[in-house]
Amino acid sequence: MKGDARICAVLFAGGVASGAVAGPVDVYLNGPALCPHDRPASASRIDEAGAIARTRAVLPKDFCGPTVFVSGCTFNVENEYDSWRVYAHQYKDIAGRKEKGGLAHTYLILDAVGNCLAHIPGTEFGALQ
């Protein structure tokens, strides 16, 4: 019985540890450089181009390249509930195609004047799409 109990304990500990490693992790980038809140509520409202420009300004240096692996970024923009949601995804230009597989993305949510409400990084380099 002692051997069986020991095996059960090992299996249980392994199951708990693997669950902890595989569980979801919420990460938000904060601070004035990565998620600035420096615009007064009375500032001019931004448009889609302004949302993209603001997103480019807060992305980490060289996020959109050009580097050996990254040619640029694509930006998908939504305006809902008086806020901007900007999804930035790196791509590599391969024979005129914007290949995104294995490259990073990030998601920025801005208020109507361009203050950051959330900056949520996505996959790391080398991960699947």
PDB file of all heavy atoms in Angstrom, residues 84-119:
ATOM      1  N   TRP A  84     -11.184  53.000 -28.939  1.00  0.00           N
ATOM      2  CA  TRP A  84     -10.498  52.408 -30.086  1.00  0.00           C
ATOM      3  C   TRP A  84      -9.816  51.129 -29.646  1.00  0.00           C
ATOM      4  O   TRP A  84      -9.143  51.107 -28.623  1.00  0.00           O
ATOM      5  CB  TRP A  84      -9.457  53.378 -30.636  1.00  0.00           C
ATOM      6  CG  TRP A  84     -10.071  54.586 -31.264  1.00  0.00           C
ATOM      7  CD1 TRP A  84     -10.283  55.791 -30.667  1.00  0.00           C
ATOM      8  CD2 TRP A  84     -10.569  54.692 -32.594  1.00  0.00           C
ATOM      9  NE1 TRP A  84     -10.881  56.644 -31.554  1.00  0.00           N
ATOM     10  CE2 TRP A  84     -11.065  56.000 -32.754  1.00  0.00           C
ATOM     11  CE3 TRP A  84     -10.638  53.819 -33.682  1.00  0.00           C
ATOM     12  CZ2 TRP A  84     -11.625  56.446 -33.942  1.00  0.00           C
ATOM     13  CZ3 TRP A  84     -11.194  54.266 -34.860  1.00  0.00           C
ATOM     14  CH2 TRP A  84     -11.675  55.568 -34.985  1.00  0.00           C
ATOM     15  N   ARG A  85      -9.976  50.097 -30.440  1.00  0.00           N
ATOM     16  CA  ARG A  85      -9.285  48.831 -30.199  1.00  0.00           C
ATOM     17  C   ARG A  85      -8.392  48.587 -31.392  1.00  0.00           C
ATOM     18  O   ARG A  85      -8.876  48.468 -32.519  1.00  0.00           O
ATOM     19  CB  ARG A  85     -10.289  47.705 -30.021  1.00  0.00           C
ATOM     20  CG  ARG A  85     -11.136  47.958 -28.793  1.00  0.00           C
ATOM     21  CD  ARG A  85     -12.248  46.953 -28.654  1.00  0.00           C
ATOM     22  NE  ARG A  85     -13.066  47.375 -27.531  1.00  0.00           N
ATOM     23  CZ  ARG A  85     -14.348  47.649 -27.630  1.00  0.00           C
ATOM     24  NH1 ARG A  85     -14.954  47.544 -28.783  1.00  0.00           N
ATOM     25  NH2 ARG A  85     -15.024  48.033 -26.573  1.00  0.00           N
ATOM     26  N   VAL A  86      -7.100  48.525 -31.132  1.00  0.00           N
ATOM     27  CA  VAL A  86      -6.132  48.388 -32.216  1.00  0.00           C
ATOM     28  C   VAL A  86      -5.340  47.094 -32.011  1.00  0.00           C
ATOM     29  O   VAL A  86      -4.692  46.907 -30.981  1.00  0.00           O
ATOM     30  CB  VAL A  86      -5.165  49.593 -32.272  1.00  0.00           C
ATOM     31  CG1 VAL A  86      -4.231  49.462 -33.473  1.00  0.00           C
ATOM     32  CG2 VAL A  86      -5.939  50.903 -32.324  1.00  0.00           C
ATOM     33  N   TYR A  87      -5.420  46.224 -32.995  1.00  0.00           N
ATOM     34  CA  TYR A  87      -4.709  44.954 -32.990  1.00  0.00           C
ATOM     35  C   TYR A  87      -3.527  45.103 -33.941  1.00  0.00           C
ATOM     36  O   TYR A  87      -3.715  45.320 -35.143  1.00  0.00           O
ATOM     37  CB  TYR A  87      -5.659  43.841 -33.441  1.00  0.00           C
ATOM     38  CG  TYR A  87      -5.036  42.482 -33.568  1.00  0.00           C
ATOM     39  CD1 TYR A  87      -4.790  41.704 -32.443  1.00  0.00           C
ATOM     40  CD2 TYR A  87      -4.710  41.964 -34.810  1.00  0.00           C
ATOM     41  CE1 TYR A  87      -4.229  40.444 -32.559  1.00  0.00           C
ATOM     42  CE2 TYR A  87      -4.152  40.702 -34.936  1.00  0.00           C
ATOM     43  CZ  TYR A  87      -3.916  39.950 -33.808  1.00  0.00           C
ATOM     44  OH  TYR A  87      -3.360  38.711 -33.923  1.00  0.00           O
ATOM     45  N   ALA A  88      -2.319  45.048 -33.414  1.00  0.00           N
ATOM     46  CA  ALA A  88      -1.099  45.178 -34.226  1.00  0.00           C
ATOM     47  C   ALA A  88      -0.434  43.815 -34.318  1.00  0.00           C
ATOM     48  O   ALA A  88      -0.219  43.148 -33.304  1.00  0.00           O
ATOM     49  CB  ALA A  88      -0.148  46.185 -33.583  1.00  0.00           C
ATOM     50  N   HIS A  89      -0.129  43.394 -35.539  1.00  0.00           N
ATOM     51  CA  HIS A  89       0.479  42.080 -35.755  1.00  0.00           C
ATOM     52  C   HIS A  89       1.683  42.235 -36.666  1.00  0.00           C
ATOM     53  O   HIS A  89       1.605  42.848 -37.721  1.00  0.00           O
ATOM     54  CB  HIS A  89      -0.535  41.137 -36.400  1.00  0.00           C
ATOM     55  CG  HIS A  89      -0.216  39.691 -36.203  1.00  0.00           C
ATOM     56  ND1 HIS A  89       0.942  39.093 -36.660  1.00  0.00           N
ATOM     57  CD2 HIS A  89      -0.901  38.709 -35.577  1.00  0.00           C
ATOM     58  CE1 HIS A  89       0.933  37.814 -36.338  1.00  0.00           C
ATOM     59  NE2 HIS A  89      -0.168  37.556 -35.676  1.00  0.00           N
ATOM     60  N   GLN A  90       2.805  41.681 -36.241  1.00  0.00           N
ATOM     61  CA  GLN A  90       4.019  41.715 -37.055  1.00  0.00           C
ATOM     62  C   GLN A  90       3.841  40.830 -38.288  1.00  0.00           C
ATOM     63  O   GLN A  90       3.076  39.874 -38.266  1.00  0.00           O
ATOM     64  CB  GLN A  90       5.210  41.184 -36.269  1.00  0.00           C
ATOM     65  CG  GLN A  90       5.568  41.982 -35.056  1.00  0.00           C
ATOM     66  CD  GLN A  90       6.641  41.292 -34.233  1.00  0.00           C
ATOM     67  OE1 GLN A  90       6.726  40.068 -34.193  1.00  0.00           O
ATOM     68  NE2 GLN A  90       7.463  42.077 -33.563  1.00  0.00           N
ATOM     69  N   TYR A  91       4.580  41.175 -39.350  1.00  0.00           N
ATOM     70  CA  TYR A  91       4.616  40.307 -40.522  1.00  0.00           C
ATOM     71  C   TYR A  91       6.009  40.322 -41.133  1.00  0.00           C
ATOM     72  O   TYR A  91       6.795  41.235 -40.910  1.00  0.00           O
ATOM     73  CB  TYR A  91       3.569  40.704 -41.574  1.00  0.00           C
ATOM     74  CG  TYR A  91       3.851  42.019 -42.267  1.00  0.00           C
ATOM     75  CD1 TYR A  91       4.685  42.078 -43.385  1.00  0.00           C
ATOM     76  CD2 TYR A  91       3.284  43.196 -41.815  1.00  0.00           C
ATOM     77  CE1 TYR A  91       4.952  43.279 -44.022  1.00  0.00           C
ATOM     78  CE2 TYR A  91       3.538  44.396 -42.449  1.00  0.00           C
ATOM     79  CZ  TYR A  91       4.363  44.433 -43.553  1.00  0.00           C
ATOM     80  OH  TYR A  91       4.633  45.617 -44.178  1.00  0.00           O
ATOM     81  N   LYS A  92       6.282  39.283 -41.903  1.00  0.00           N
ATOM     82  CA  LYS A  92       7.507  39.183 -42.679  1.00  0.00           C
ATOM     83  C   LYS A  92       7.094  39.173 -44.143  1.00  0.00           C
ATOM     84  O   LYS A  92       6.240  38.386 -44.545  1.00  0.00           O
ATOM     85  CB  LYS A  92       8.271  37.891 -42.323  1.00  0.00           C
ATOM     86  CG  LYS A  92       9.531  37.660 -43.144  1.00  0.00           C
ATOM     87  CD  LYS A  92      10.608  38.650 -42.792  1.00  0.00           C
ATOM     88  CE  LYS A  92      11.891  38.331 -43.544  1.00  0.00           C
ATOM     89  NZ  LYS A  92      12.851  39.400 -43.483  1.00  0.00           N
ATOM     90  N   ASP A  93       7.658  40.080 -44.926  1.00  0.00           N
ATOM     91  CA  ASP A  93       7.353  40.147 -46.350  1.00  0.00           C
ATOM     92  C   ASP A  93       8.105  39.027 -47.067  1.00  0.00           C
ATOM     93  O   ASP A  93       9.332  39.019 -47.103  1.00  0.00           O
ATOM     94  CB  ASP A  93       7.756  41.506 -46.905  1.00  0.00           C
ATOM     95  CG  ASP A  93       7.315  41.703 -48.341  1.00  0.00           C
ATOM     96  OD1 ASP A  93       6.576  40.843 -48.871  1.00  0.00           O
ATOM     97  OD2 ASP A  93       7.702  42.717 -48.947  1.00  0.00           O
ATOM     98  N   ILE A  94       7.356  38.079 -47.607  1.00  0.00           N
ATOM     99  CA  ILE A  94       7.946  36.951 -48.338  1.00  0.00           C
ATOM    100  C   ILE A  94       7.280  36.907 -49.710  1.00  0.00           C
ATOM    101  O   ILE A  94       6.096  36.581 -49.826  1.00  0.00           O
ATOM    102  CB  ILE A  94       7.741  35.620 -47.592  1.00  0.00           C
ATOM    103  CG1 ILE A  94       8.413  35.688 -46.215  1.00  0.00           C
ATOM    104  CG2 ILE A  94       8.267  34.448 -48.418  1.00  0.00           C
ATOM    105  CD1 ILE A  94       8.181  34.496 -45.334  1.00  0.00           C
ATOM    106  N   ALA A  95       8.043  37.287 -50.718  1.00  0.00           N
ATOM    107  CA  ALA A  95       7.558  37.292 -52.103  1.00  0.00           C
ATOM    108  C   ALA A  95       6.259  38.091 -52.250  1.00  0.00           C
ATOM    109  O   ALA A  95       5.322  37.666 -52.910  1.00  0.00           O
ATOM    110  CB  ALA A  95       7.379  35.865 -52.608  1.00  0.00           C
ATOM    111  N   GLY A  96       6.195  39.235 -51.575  1.00  0.00           N
ATOM    112  CA  GLY A  96       5.027  40.106 -51.672  1.00  0.00           C
ATOM    113  C   GLY A  96       3.863  39.731 -50.771  1.00  0.00           C
ATOM    114  O   GLY A  96       2.833  40.401 -50.794  1.00  0.00           O
ATOM    115  N   ARG A  97       4.001  38.687 -49.968  1.00  0.00           N
ATOM    116  CA  ARG A  97       2.957  38.281 -49.033  1.00  0.00           C
ATOM    117  C   ARG A  97       3.350  38.687 -47.620  1.00  0.00           C
ATOM    118  O   ARG A  97       4.510  38.587 -47.245  1.00  0.00           O
ATOM    119  CB  ARG A  97       2.743  36.770 -49.075  1.00  0.00           C
ATOM    120  CG  ARG A  97       2.178  36.244 -50.363  1.00  0.00           C
ATOM    121  CD  ARG A  97       1.889  34.734 -50.305  1.00  0.00           C
ATOM    122  NE  ARG A  97       2.797  33.947 -49.484  1.00  0.00           N
ATOM    123  CZ  ARG A  97       3.937  33.393 -49.919  1.00  0.00           C
ATOM    124  NH1 ARG A  97       4.329  33.568 -51.164  1.00  0.00           N
ATOM    125  NH2 ARG A  97       4.680  32.674 -49.116  1.00  0.00           N
ATOM    126  N   LYS A  98       2.384  39.088 -46.838  1.00  0.00           N
ATOM    127  CA  LYS A  98       2.620  39.438 -45.438  1.00  0.00           C
ATOM    128  C   LYS A  98       2.394  38.194 -44.582  1.00  0.00           C
ATOM    129  O   LYS A  98       1.283  37.911 -44.158  1.00  0.00           O
ATOM    130  CB  LYS A  98       1.705  40.578 -45.009  1.00  0.00           C
ATOM    131  CG  LYS A  98       2.018  41.869 -45.720  1.00  0.00           C
ATOM    132  CD  LYS A  98       1.084  42.982 -45.306  1.00  0.00           C
ATOM    133  CE  LYS A  98       1.464  44.261 -46.033  1.00  0.00           C
ATOM    134  NZ  LYS A  98       0.558  45.357 -45.711  1.00  0.00           N
ATOM    135  N   GLU A  99       3.466  37.445 -44.357  1.00  0.00           N
ATOM    136  CA  GLU A  99       3.400  36.220 -43.566  1.00  0.00           C
ATOM    137  C   GLU A  99       3.474  36.568 -42.075  1.00  0.00           C
ATOM    138  O   GLU A  99       4.427  37.199 -41.627  1.00  0.00           O
ATOM    139  CB  GLU A  99       4.542  35.279 -43.935  1.00  0.00           C
ATOM    140  CG  GLU A  99       4.469  34.757 -45.349  1.00  0.00           C
ATOM    141  CD  GLU A  99       3.320  33.787 -45.568  1.00  0.00           C
ATOM    142  OE1 GLU A  99       2.910  33.104 -44.596  1.00  0.00           O
ATOM    143  OE2 GLU A  99       2.828  33.723 -46.702  1.00  0.00           O
ATOM    144  N   LYS A 100       2.461  36.129 -41.308  1.00  0.00           N
ATOM    145  CA  LYS A 100       2.386  36.467 -39.881  1.00  0.00           C
ATOM    146  C   LYS A 100       2.689  35.283 -38.968  1.00  0.00           C
ATOM    147  O   LYS A 100       2.846  35.458 -37.767  1.00  0.00           O
ATOM    148  CB  LYS A 100       0.995  36.996 -39.557  1.00  0.00           C
ATOM    149  CG  LYS A 100       0.659  38.271 -40.284  1.00  0.00           C
ATOM    150  CD  LYS A 100      -0.735  38.721 -39.928  1.00  0.00           C
ATOM    151  CE  LYS A 100      -1.112  39.958 -40.696  1.00  0.00           C
ATOM    152  NZ  LYS A 100      -2.483  40.381 -40.387  1.00  0.00           N
ATOM    153  N   GLY A 101       2.756  34.093 -39.524  1.00  0.00           N
ATOM    154  CA  GLY A 101       2.954  32.895 -38.711  1.00  0.00           C
ATOM    155  C   GLY A 101       4.204  32.970 -37.855  1.00  0.00           C
ATOM    156  O   GLY A 101       5.283  33.261 -38.345  1.00  0.00           O
ATOM    157  N   GLY A 102       4.033  32.704 -36.572  1.00  0.00           N
ATOM    158  CA  GLY A 102       5.165  32.674 -35.647  1.00  0.00           C
ATOM    159  C   GLY A 102       5.628  34.025 -35.168  1.00  0.00           C
ATOM    160  O   GLY A 102       6.619  34.111 -34.440  1.00  0.00           O
ATOM    161  N   LEU A 103       4.942  35.099 -35.555  1.00  0.00           N
ATOM    162  CA  LEU A 103       5.358  36.437 -35.133  1.00  0.00           C
ATOM    163  C   LEU A 103       4.416  36.984 -34.070  1.00  0.00           C
ATOM    164  O   LEU A 103       3.304  36.495 -33.881  1.00  0.00           O
ATOM    165  CB  LEU A 103       5.430  37.370 -36.338  1.00  0.00           C
ATOM    166  CG  LEU A 103       6.457  36.957 -37.397  1.00  0.00           C
ATOM    167  CD1 LEU A 103       6.393  37.882 -38.598  1.00  0.00           C
ATOM    168  CD2 LEU A 103       7.855  36.925 -36.819  1.00  0.00           C
ATOM    169  N   ALA A 104       4.849  38.010 -33.377  1.00  0.00           N
ATOM    170  CA  ALA A 104       4.123  38.550 -32.223  1.00  0.00           C
ATOM    171  C   ALA A 104       3.000  39.489 -32.641  1.00  0.00           C
ATOM    172  O   ALA A 104       2.986  40.049 -33.731  1.00  0.00           O
ATOM    173  CB  ALA A 104       5.093  39.280 -31.297  1.00  0.00           C
ATOM    174  N   HIS A 105       2.058  39.664 -31.716  1.00  0.00           N
ATOM    175  CA  HIS A 105       1.012  40.659 -31.879  1.00  0.00           C
ATOM    176  C   HIS A 105       0.752  41.301 -30.518  1.00  0.00           C
ATOM    177  O   HIS A 105       1.185  40.803 -29.487  1.00  0.00           O
ATOM    178  CB  HIS A 105      -0.275  40.039 -32.445  1.00  0.00           C
ATOM    179  CG  HIS A 105      -0.951  39.089 -31.508  1.00  0.00           C
ATOM    180  ND1 HIS A 105      -0.642  37.746 -31.481  1.00  0.00           N
ATOM    181  CD2 HIS A 105      -1.891  39.274 -30.569  1.00  0.00           C
ATOM    182  CE1 HIS A 105      -1.390  37.137 -30.570  1.00  0.00           C
ATOM    183  NE2 HIS A 105      -2.149  38.057 -29.993  1.00  0.00           N
ATOM    184  N   THR A 106       0.065  42.429 -30.554  1.00  0.00           N
ATOM    185  CA  THR A 106      -0.323  43.099 -29.321  1.00  0.00           C
ATOM    186  C   THR A 106      -1.658  43.784 -29.562  1.00  0.00           C
ATOM    187  O   THR A 106      -2.051  44.035 -30.702  1.00  0.00           O
ATOM    188  CB  THR A 106       0.759  44.096 -28.842  1.00  0.00           C
ATOM    189  OG1 THR A 106       0.496  44.485 -27.498  1.00  0.00           O
ATOM    190  CG2 THR A 106       0.828  45.318 -29.723  1.00  0.00           C
ATOM    191  N   TYR A 107      -2.350  44.094 -28.497  1.00  0.00           N
ATOM    192  CA  TYR A 107      -3.694  44.653 -28.559  1.00  0.00           C
ATOM    193  C   TYR A 107      -3.729  45.874 -27.655  1.00  0.00           C
ATOM    194  O   TYR A 107      -3.406  45.782 -26.470  1.00  0.00           O
ATOM    195  CB  TYR A 107      -4.666  43.568 -28.071  1.00  0.00           C
ATOM    196  CG  TYR A 107      -6.114  43.804 -28.340  1.00  0.00           C
ATOM    197  CD1 TYR A 107      -6.626  43.792 -29.631  1.00  0.00           C
ATOM    198  CD2 TYR A 107      -6.995  44.006 -27.289  1.00  0.00           C
ATOM    199  CE1 TYR A 107      -7.970  43.973 -29.864  1.00  0.00           C
ATOM    200  CE2 TYR A 107      -8.347  44.181 -27.509  1.00  0.00           C
ATOM    201  CZ  TYR A 107      -8.834  44.163 -28.800  1.00  0.00           C
ATOM    202  OH  TYR A 107     -10.168  44.345 -29.031  1.00  0.00           O
ATOM    203  N   LEU A 108      -4.084  47.022 -28.226  1.00  0.00           N
ATOM    204  CA  LEU A 108      -4.124  48.262 -27.461  1.00  0.00           C
ATOM    205  C   LEU A 108      -5.544  48.809 -27.475  1.00  0.00           C
ATOM    206  O   LEU A 108      -6.175  48.862 -28.532  1.00  0.00           O
ATOM    207  CB  LEU A 108      -3.167  49.285 -28.081  1.00  0.00           C
ATOM    208  CG  LEU A 108      -2.822  50.494 -27.243  1.00  0.00           C
ATOM    209  CD1 LEU A 108      -1.922  50.100 -26.074  1.00  0.00           C
ATOM    210  CD2 LEU A 108      -2.130  51.539 -28.069  1.00  0.00           C
ATOM    211  N   ILE A 109      -6.038  49.187 -26.308  1.00  0.00           N
ATOM    212  CA  ILE A 109      -7.366  49.785 -26.200  1.00  0.00           C
ATOM    213  C   ILE A 109      -7.181  51.222 -25.738  1.00  0.00           C
ATOM    214  O   ILE A 109      -6.534  51.484 -24.721  1.00  0.00           O
ATOM    215  CB  ILE A 109      -8.262  49.005 -25.220  1.00  0.00           C
ATOM    216  CG1 ILE A 109      -8.356  47.546 -25.670  1.00  0.00           C
ATOM    217  CG2 ILE A 109      -9.646  49.642 -25.148  1.00  0.00           C
ATOM    218  CD1 ILE A 109      -9.056  46.631 -24.707  1.00  0.00           C
ATOM    219  N   LEU A 110      -7.731  52.155 -26.521  1.00  0.00           N
ATOM    220  CA  LEU A 110      -7.583  53.587 -26.268  1.00  0.00           C
ATOM    221  C   LEU A 110      -8.945  54.221 -26.044  1.00  0.00           C
ATOM    222  O   LEU A 110      -9.942  53.787 -26.639  1.00  0.00           O
ATOM    223  CB  LEU A 110      -6.924  54.263 -27.480  1.00  0.00           C
ATOM    224  CG  LEU A 110      -5.591  53.710 -27.949  1.00  0.00           C
ATOM    225  CD1 LEU A 110      -5.224  54.293 -29.304  1.00  0.00           C
ATOM    226  CD2 LEU A 110      -4.518  54.009 -26.922  1.00  0.00           C
ATOM    227  N   ASP A 111      -8.978  55.276 -25.231  1.00  0.00           N
ATOM    228  CA  ASP A 111     -10.228  56.021 -25.101  1.00  0.00           C
ATOM    229  C   ASP A 111     -10.367  56.963 -26.301  1.00  0.00           C
ATOM    230  O   ASP A 111      -9.535  56.965 -27.211  1.00  0.00           O
ATOM    231  CB  ASP A 111     -10.319  56.733 -23.751  1.00  0.00           C
ATOM    232  CG  ASP A 111      -9.343  57.887 -23.568  1.00  0.00           C
ATOM    233  OD1 ASP A 111      -8.688  58.311 -24.545  1.00  0.00           O
ATOM    234  OD2 ASP A 111      -9.242  58.379 -22.427  1.00  0.00           O
ATOM    235  N   ALA A 112     -11.396  57.768 -26.310  1.00  0.00           N
ATOM    236  CA  ALA A 112     -11.718  58.607 -27.467  1.00  0.00           C
ATOM    237  C   ALA A 112     -10.635  59.633 -27.802  1.00  0.00           C
ATOM    238  O   ALA A 112     -10.508  60.049 -28.957  1.00  0.00           O
ATOM    239  CB  ALA A 112     -13.052  59.317 -27.238  1.00  0.00           C
ATOM    240  N   VAL A 113      -9.831  60.043 -26.815  1.00  0.00           N
ATOM    241  CA  VAL A 113      -8.788  61.041 -27.068  1.00  0.00           C
ATOM    242  C   VAL A 113      -7.395  60.424 -27.180  1.00  0.00           C
ATOM    243  O   VAL A 113      -6.418  61.126 -27.391  1.00  0.00           O
ATOM    244  CB  VAL A 113      -8.797  62.162 -25.993  1.00  0.00           C
ATOM    245  CG1 VAL A 113     -10.120  62.921 -26.017  1.00  0.00           C
ATOM    246  CG2 VAL A 113      -8.495  61.618 -24.613  1.00  0.00           C
ATOM    247  N   GLY A 114      -7.293  59.104 -27.018  1.00  0.00           N
ATOM    248  CA  GLY A 114      -6.015  58.422 -27.210  1.00  0.00           C
ATOM    249  C   GLY A 114      -5.294  57.983 -25.949  1.00  0.00           C
ATOM    250  O   GLY A 114      -4.162  57.521 -26.027  1.00  0.00           O
ATOM    251  N   ASN A 115      -5.944  58.120 -24.795  1.00  0.00           N
ATOM    252  CA  ASN A 115      -5.335  57.591 -23.568  1.00  0.00           C
ATOM    253  C   ASN A 115      -5.459  56.080 -23.561  1.00  0.00           C
ATOM    254  O   ASN A 115      -6.485  55.523 -23.955  1.00  0.00           O
ATOM    255  CB  ASN A 115      -6.020  58.167 -22.330  1.00  0.00           C
ATOM    256  CG  ASN A 115      -5.637  59.595 -22.093  1.00  0.00           C
ATOM    257  OD1 ASN A 115      -4.469  59.950 -22.143  1.00  0.00           O
ATOM    258  ND2 ASN A 115      -6.634  60.440 -21.850  1.00  0.00           N
ATOM    259  N   CYS A 116      -4.430  55.412 -23.097  1.00  0.00           N
ATOM    260  CA  CYS A 116      -4.403  53.950 -23.063  1.00  0.00           C
ATOM    261  C   CYS A 116      -5.277  53.441 -21.920  1.00  0.00           C
ATOM    262  O   CYS A 116      -5.124  53.847 -20.773  1.00  0.00           O
ATOM    263  CB  CYS A 116      -2.961  53.478 -22.886  1.00  0.00           C
ATOM    264  SG  CYS A 116      -2.806  51.693 -22.761  1.00  0.00           S
ATOM    265  N   LEU A 117      -6.188  52.540 -22.266  1.00  0.00           N
ATOM    266  CA  LEU A 117      -7.000  51.868 -21.253  1.00  0.00           C
ATOM    267  C   LEU A 117      -6.429  50.495 -20.925  1.00  0.00           C
ATOM    268  O   LEU A 117      -6.533  50.037 -19.793  1.00  0.00           O
ATOM    269  CB  LEU A 117      -8.444  51.730 -21.739  1.00  0.00           C
ATOM    270  CG  LEU A 117      -9.151  53.043 -22.074  1.00  0.00           C
ATOM    271  CD1 LEU A 117     -10.521  52.777 -22.672  1.00  0.00           C
ATOM    272  CD2 LEU A 117      -9.257  53.929 -20.842  1.00  0.00           C
ATOM    273  N   ALA A 118      -5.818  49.844 -21.918  1.00  0.00           N
ATOM    274  CA  ALA A 118      -5.180  48.539 -21.707  1.00  0.00           C
ATOM    275  C   ALA A 118      -4.218  48.268 -22.848  1.00  0.00           C
ATOM    276  O   ALA A 118      -4.474  48.630 -23.989  1.00  0.00           O
ATOM    277  CB  ALA A 118      -6.222  47.434 -21.639  1.00  0.00           C
ATOM    278  N   HIS A 119      -3.106  47.645 -22.521  1.00  0.00           N
ATOM    279  CA  HIS A 119      -2.120  47.212 -23.515  1.00  0.00           C
ATOM    280  C   HIS A 119      -1.828  45.752 -23.205  1.00  0.00           C
ATOM    281  O   HIS A 119      -1.196  45.439 -22.209  1.00  0.00           O
ATOM    282  CB  HIS A 119      -0.860  48.066 -23.406  1.00  0.00           C
ATOM    283  CG  HIS A 119       0.109  47.829 -24.514  1.00  0.00           C
ATOM    284  ND1 HIS A 119       1.150  48.666 -24.751  1.00  0.00           N
ATOM    285  CD2 HIS A 119       0.201  46.860 -25.458  1.00  0.00           C
ATOM    286  CE1 HIS A 119       1.860  48.226 -25.792  1.00  0.00           C
ATOM    287  NE2 HIS A 119       1.292  47.123 -26.220  1.00  0.00           N
TER     288      HIS A 119
END
